[in-house]
Amino acid sequence: MNQVKNPPDSTGPAMTIEPSPWPVIDDEVIASVVRVLKEESLSPVMQVGIIKEFEDNFAQFQGRKFAFAVSSGTAALDTAIHVSGVGPGDEVIVSPYTWGATVGCILHNNAIPVFADIDPLTFNIRPDEIRKKITDRTRAIVTVHIYGHPCDMDPIMDIARKHNLRVIEDCAQAHGATYKGRKVGSLGDIGCFSLQASKNLIGGEGGILVFDDEALFDEVVSWASHPMRQFQELQDKPLGKYIDSIAPNFRMHAVSAAIANVQLKRLDKWVVQRRKNLEYLTRALSDIPGIRPTCVAPDCEHAAHLIPLTYKADELNNVPLENFRNALALEGLETGSYVGTPIHLRPRFQEQRFWGKGCPWTCGHAERVVEYKKGDCPVAEKRCSGEELNLPSVGFHVPCNDYLDQIATAFKRAAKKALAGEL
Ligand SMILES: Cc1ncc(COP(=O)(O)O)c(C=O)c1O
């Protein structure tokens, strides 16, 4: 239940309701953690017990044959790139409009990120832009379902099949989102999820990969688990000879699995409610000048992990975003940008500084020069130049129309001030 902090009045700030806290740590979650603390190994290197139980439940939830739990979403992505056979000199096509780890996983494998621009409404990588970036060194595509909106996966998969590329979905923000009725994470070759504490499904920390290919399972175990689990799963298989404690060993903590396993039971219900609240807010914000609410493409269901809005200063007396944001803060509404600087324009890419000695860009396996400059991804760059106006989705997992009405009031008041020349 949302609580009224102070009764709203027409002179005070618009926001008086505290959103319902996220994540939800209820008695069942606590009991699950306590049980694991008392009854299971805290370092379950064979991945038996709660971790296996969570993996099985998550695989079933996703409709995938395999799920493999790891220490973070970043670890899941790193593993997915590695087991896809991507390495030095290989190119991977990715969006510049994302959390760094979507791109970092490529660099971590000494491969070269190649950026393709995004759609101006969904902020997701565009299939036609991907097509333009393919070279004979391209090995994979990483699609990030940013904010919880699914990428346009059918054309992306067509391109991938035509060019024999692996597709890795970064679903860190999109648990429960669907594309043409199918869950994200079940559309590409490997789906990667984060279970970090702000996400739609949380373990506190943690990540999980899902996929169908049995050969991939052996590769994942061989790369990302403790040697004891490798021994258990691989001793009679070809990869058994590499059980040597040298691979990264990104194993999950048992307590994360204990939390996530309970949270998973509520994920569907929570995502449906998040979506309803997003729809309500979209309607409430639809007539406010200078504010474009969140778009949802046909055939897609948003996971509403974050609520992206777009700020159009030219409709609001050219008031800079910062001033508008301050006016919202006076109403008690904190907003944020998200990406800030598109990844290809960040210093690491401008200076090509990662491993040192020029790697991966000038490593002996790189066969062509890949550079990053302003203008490479104009849509992402425009979004990051004073248009990113995002709302957190805290409280969206429960009905909260009163709270959403207050958000709309805060926006209306700030827009009125902007139009009156008061900002
Ligand atoms: C899109 C995206 N990818 C990857 C990650 C990385 O997940 P983690 O923090 O669990 O490593 C995040 C986390 O914020 C994310 O939002």
Side-chain angles (χ1 to χ4, degrees):
M1 247 329 175
N2 297 327
Q3 293 154 7
V4 176
K5 225 177 12 183
N6 300 301
D9 79 52
S10 56
T11 52
M15 305 303 300
T16 62
I17 298 174
E18 283 290 347
S20 190
W22 183 261
V24 176
I25 305 297
D26 60 14
D27 289 348
E28 194 181 349
V29 173
I30 291 167
S32 171
V33 170
V34 170
R35 191 199 62 73
V36 166
L37 290 176
K38 285 185 173 167
E39 295 173 18
E40 294 203 13
S41 166
L42 285 186
S43 189
V45 292
M46 313 275 277
Q47 306 284 91
V48 289
I50 191 65
I51 293 180
K52 184 80 180 81
E53 193 180 324
F54 173 57
E55 288 175 343
D56 290 347
N57 287 337
F58 196 71
Q60 198 180 11
F61 175 83
Q62 285 292 139
R64 286 287 215 183
K65 282 197 195 132
F66 300 101
F68 189 91
V70 289
S71 51
S72 68
T74 304
L77 288 162
D78 281 14
T79 303
I81 290 282
H82 174 78
V83 302
S84 296
V86 174
D90 291 338
E91 295 175 15
V92 179
I93 300 176
V94 65
S95 166
Y97 190 78
T98 185
W99 181 251
T102 317
V103 181
C105 62
I106 303 165
L107 293 175
H108 300 166
N109 283 280
N110 208 12
I112 301 171
V114 172
F115 294 99
D117 208 359
I118 58 167
D119 181 88
L121 299 178
T122 66
F123 316 122
N124 279 328
I125 196 165
R126 284 174 61 128
D128 53 339
E129 295 294 326
I130 292 175
R131 216 173 273 119
K132 289 184 205 162
K133 301 291 170 151
I134 289 174
T135 70
D136 56 2
R137 293 311 310 265
T138 310
R139 293 287 172 272
I141 303 167
V142 182
T143 60
V144 53
H145 308 295
I146 200 74
Y147 298 134
H149 192 302
C151 291
D152 192 4
M153 290 302 290
D154 277 355
I156 292 174
M157 293 311 292
D158 287 347
I159 295 167
R161 296 297 167 246
K162 186 168 163 212
H163 296 274
N164 197 22
L165 310 175
R166 287 279 183 156
V167 176
I168 293 152
E169 298 177 70
D170 180 346
C171 310
Q173 301 186 2
H175 314 68
T178 69
Y179 174 80
K180 300 187 179 174
R182 290 170 290 153
K183 286 195 176 105
V184 304
S186 310
L187 307 163
D189 295 301
I190 307 177
C192 297
F193 294 81
S194 165
L195 304 171
Q196 177 267 342
S198 73
K199 299 293 190 280
N200 281 10
L201 175 68
I202 72 121
E205 293 290 358
I208 191 158
L209 300 96
V210 289
F211 47 91
D212 291 329
D213 182 347
E214 187 161 4
L216 272 182
F217 183 78
D218 289 355
E219 294 283 352
V220 170
V221 170
S222 175
W223 191 248
S225 71
H226 189 280
M228 292 297 282
R229 182 170 186 181
Q230 294 175 6
F231 192 71
Q232 189 183 35
E233 309 264 3
L234 301 175
Q235 59 176 320
D236 301 324
K237 296 182 173 178
L239 291 174
K241 65 181 173 193
Y242 302 112
I243 303 174
D244 54 12
S245 68
I246 286 173
N249 187 1
F250 293 129
R251 66 186 183 274
M252 175 180 265
H253 196 296
V255 167
S256 297
I259 297 169
N261 202 37
V262 176
Q263 301 270 333
L264 182 59
K265 295 189 217 167
R266 289 144 206 183
L267 178 57
D268 272 334
K269 185 182 92 184
W270 281 335
V271 171
V272 167
Q273 187 60 54
R274 282 174 178 276
R275 220 169 263 150
K276 281 189 188 155
N277 288 330
L278 176 61
E279 285 162 13
Y280 185 91
L281 183 67
T282 298
R283 283 193 297 277
L285 296 178
S286 61
D287 293 331
I288 301 177
I291 304 300
R292 301 280 183 281
T294 306
C295 282
V296 184
D299 295 332
C300 289
E301 289 182 306
H302 208 289
H305 170 60
L306 288 167
I307 313 300
L309 311 175
T310 303
Y311 182 71
K312 295 284 181 195
D314 56 349
E315 295 174 21
L316 288 168
N317 266 335
N318 291 316
V319 166
L321 175 60
E322 216 38 53
N323 299 19
F324 192 83
R325 219 191 268 296
N326 290 340
L328 290 172
L330 285 177
E331 298 295 343
L333 183 61
E334 293 300 333
T335 56
S337 51
Y338 179 67
V339 173
T341 303
I343 309 267
H344 65 293
L345 298 181
R346 294 186 185 175
R348 206 183 283 289
F349 284 88
Q350 293 303 299
E351 296 167 20
Q352 300 210 330
R353 185 170 188 272
F354 192 72
W355 287 113
K357 300 185 181 170
C359 288
W361 296 278
T362 58
C363 107
H365 295 277
E367 283 170 7
R368 72 177 188 109
V369 176
V370 175
E371 286 174 327
Y372 308 99
K373 52 186 187 319
K374 207 159 191 262
D376 283 351
C377 297
V379 179
E381 291 167 30
K382 182 157 188 287
R383 167 109 185 123
C384 291
S385 318
E387 292 196 349
E388 275 187 314
L389 178 54
N390 295 346
L391 296 171
S393 64
V394 175
F396 273 54
H397 61 292
V398 292
C400 57
N401 287 357
D402 293 348
Y403 172 66
L404 302 175
D405 286 340
Q406 292 195 344
I407 293 178
T409 302
F411 271 91
K412 279 177 196 153
R413 289 186 186 174
K416 199 170 160 194
K417 283 188 195 165
L419 290 172
E422 292 170 22
L423 300 181

